[in-house]
Amino acid sequence: MFKAVNLKKLLISLLIPFLAALLAQTLSGDIKSVYQSLNQPPGSPPALVFPVVWAILYLLMGLSLYIISISRAPQQKKSFSYIVFGTGLLFNLFWPILFFRFGLLNFSAVWLGVLILLIALNIFAFCRIKKAPGIMLLPYLIWCLFALYLNIGAAVLN
């Protein structure tokens, strides 16, 4: 049957990625203006798509973190998963700052490549505990792969 929801863990798990997103947005400057000023590669979505997609991704990240936090996995596995998740979240936090605030288009592409590797490792670590939270991170991986294409395209075209 269904387990009772641990509301405190759920709220903390959801707040972690959303607070990181808020901090990144605050420190990144005028993202929309910078995005619109850049020459974009083919297939670039309109700026209004990004906040919607990221809200969904942060929700999935928080929910997957919650599932790991309430799992009965050994603490060692959970701790490793938390470290990978947190490291990836830090890389995620700094990417828009590097790209939009500082205009480091080439460096941010490399940074995003490392983030993608961290997301893949995060998926693996979560799947070792429980498959569902790992699978929930697949859209995040796919979106960041698309973002890498956009980042490289912007770097080449600008």
Side-chain angles (χ1 to χ4, degrees), residues 91-103:
F91 268 75
N92 188 325
L93 186 153
F94 282 104
W95 179 85
I97 298 167
L98 296 169
F99 187 91
F100 294 106
R101 169 69 71 179
F102 297 117

Side-chain angles (χ1 to χ4, degrees), residues 15-28 31 54-55 58 89 92-93 96:
L15 276 174
I16 290 170
F18 280 103
L19 287 175
L22 181 62
L23 182 59
Q25 183 179 15
T26 302
L27 298 176
S28 296
I31 293 173
W54 277 109
Y58 287 126
L89 193 58
N92 188 325
L93 186 153

Side-chain angles (χ1 to χ4, degrees), residues 1-119:
M1 287 284 180
F2 293 101
K3 287 184 185 179
V5 173
N6 183 325
L7 194 55
K8 182 179 176 184
K9 282 188 177 186
L10 177 60
L11 290 175
I12 291 169
S13 297
L14 290 171
L15 276 174
I16 290 170
F18 280 103
L19 287 175
L22 181 62
L23 182 59
Q25 183 179 15
T26 302
L27 298 176
S28 296
D30 189 358
I31 293 173
K32 187 176 180 181
S33 293
V34 173
Y35 181 77
Q36 291 174 341
S37 73
L38 294 171
N39 295 319
Q40 298 292 335
S44 296
L48 63 96
V49 169
F50 292 94
V52 174
V53 170
W54 277 109
I56 294 166
L57 295 176
Y58 287 126
L59 177 64
L60 290 171
M61 291 166 65
L63 291 174
S64 67
L65 183 61
Y66 170 70
I67 294 169
I68 293 302
S69 75
I70 62 167
S71 76
R72 295 179 189 214
Q75 191 57 46
Q76 184 178 7
K77 278 186 177 182
K78 288 168 78 168
S79 294
F80 177 74
S81 294
Y82 295 149
I83 290 168
V84 174
F85 181 89
T87 304
L89 193 58
L90 281 173
F91 268 75
N92 188 325
L93 186 153
F94 282 104
W95 179 85
I97 298 167
L98 296 169
F99 187 91
F100 294 106
R101 169 69 71 179
F102 297 117
L104 300 172
L105 305 183
N106 292 319
F107 182 71
S108 63
V110 174
W111 190 269
L112 188 52
V114 174
L115 172 58
I116 288 166
L117 293 174
L118 287 166
I119 296 167

